Amino acid sequence: MTNDTITIRFFARLREELDTEQLTFPAAPGLTAGDILSELAQRSGPWAQLDGDQPVMIAINQTMSKATAPVQPGDEVAFFPPVTGG
Amino acid sequence: MISIQNDDFDPAAEYAGLRDSGAGTGAIATFTGLVRDHGDREGVEGLYLEHYPGMTEQVIAELIEEASRRWDVRKARVIHRVGRLALQEQIVFVGICSAHRSDAFAACEYIMDALKTSAPFWKKELSESGEHWVEQKDTDLARTDSWDD
């Protein structure tokens, strides 16, 4: 990971359906977690669900966050379905 | 103390560890969750559990801190298993030492309820007809929310 990128991680159903565990995303001034979701949703196939009806939870640096939360270079942003442990 | 692990655990040994911890305990409440044969669907033959390493431990530590602010909690122990689990296997253990019965019960139930809706674990049901990621339940969310009423 370099200083000008963000690490994106996917878990559970999203990881399987997107067939992606991790990717890097270019950091940009004023970028939010929601912006990343919208941009990834432009990709073809299963990626469209990121902007769909199904809820997507967001964690920035392992803390639950909102889509409006700003993202900095070097951050780890995770997207995943609502949790179902216990 | 928090453990996320593939291996099974021994509730009796965990209880003994809590009892012998020297935490000034007058009451210990424990909960053990098991894999059952039905969930979103009937005919479940097992579960696969995934988690977010690092974040999981952090969230559970925060839940224990929150429980300690609300009730007398002398010592807390949380174990959650991940990976592939068969029917009747143990998934989760919560044990709470307190000076008082009511605090031990409440803290144990609160941690268990909040863990189900805020700790990054995901369950997949395995059955003859295939695999199915479990959906989050509104009833679980309502239980967690009810602690703030």
Side-chain angles (χ1 to χ4, degrees):
Chain A
M1 186 174 62
T2 59
N3 269 346
D4 54 356
T5 61
I6 292 155
T7 301
I8 314 288
R9 299 181 69 180
F10 302 97
F11 288 94
R13 180 177 50 74
L14 275 183
R15 175 181 52 74
E16 282 189 350
E17 290 177 1
L18 302 175
D19 197 21
T20 305
E21 195 169 320
Q22 188 168 316
L23 54 84
T24 54
F25 196 89
L31 189 73
T32 67
D35 294 337
I36 297 173
L37 269 185
S38 302
E39 198 161 318
L40 292 175
Q42 305 297 316
R43 297 183 177 188
S44 60
W47 294 86
Q49 67 178 294
L50 294 177
D51 234 359
D53 298 333
Q54 299 251 48
V56 176
M57 314 290 284
I58 301 165
I60 300 177
N61 298 327
Q62 307 197 345
T63 300
M64 292 295 257
S65 304
K66 293 183 174 170
T68 52
V71 179
Q72 312 294 332
D75 281 355
E76 176 177 289
V77 180
F79 298 118
F80 44 77
V83 305
T84 56
Chain B
M1 197 164 78
I2 299 156
S3 303
I4 314 298
Q5 60 191 46
N6 288 104
D7 295 339
D8 199 9
F9 53 85
D10 177 1
E14 298 302 332
Y15 169 81
L18 288 167
R19 189 192 60 200
D20 298 338
S21 64
T25 300
I28 298 174
T30 68
F31 171 82
T32 307
L34 308 177
V35 178
R36 64 178 177 221
D37 63 359
H38 63 281
D40 284 0
R41 299 168 184 201
E42 297 296 317
V44 174
E45 294 176 334
L47 290 179
Y48 170 78
L49 281 118
E50 177 174 333
H51 79 123
Y52 187 171
M55 181 174 171
T56 317
E57 292 85 345
Q58 200 174 298
V59 169
I60 295 172
E62 286 163 9
L63 295 180
I64 292 171
E65 279 174 32
E66 180 58 31
S68 304
R69 278 191 286 273
R70 296 178 182 219
W71 300 285
D72 176 286
V73 175
R74 303 292 172 93
K75 193 168 177 67
R77 175 83 169 115
V78 176
I79 305 172
H80 204 300
R81 293 178 67 196
V82 291
R84 227 180 150 88
L85 300 180
L87 289 184
Q88 293 296 301
E89 279 202 75
Q90 302 177 134
I91 305 179
V92 60
F93 176 91
V94 178
I96 301 290
C97 292
S98 175
H100 305 289
R101 174 193 67 211
S102 59
D103 285 28
F105 273 134
C108 187
E109 191 169 23
Y110 167 80
I111 289 171
M112 195 57 226
D113 282 353
L115 178 154
K116 283 181 78 81
T117 54
S118 65
F121 291 101
W122 300 274
K123 275 194 286 224
K124 185 196 269 183
E125 292 174 351
L126 311 174
S127 70
E128 248 183 34
S129 58
E131 301 179 341
H132 165 77
W133 286 103
V134 174
E135 302 285 338
Q136 191 172 57
K137 308 284 183 298
D138 289 342
T139 48
D140 287 338
L141 288 172
R143 280 188 68 97
T144 303
D145 289 346
S146 70
W147 290 99
D148 292 321
D149 288 347

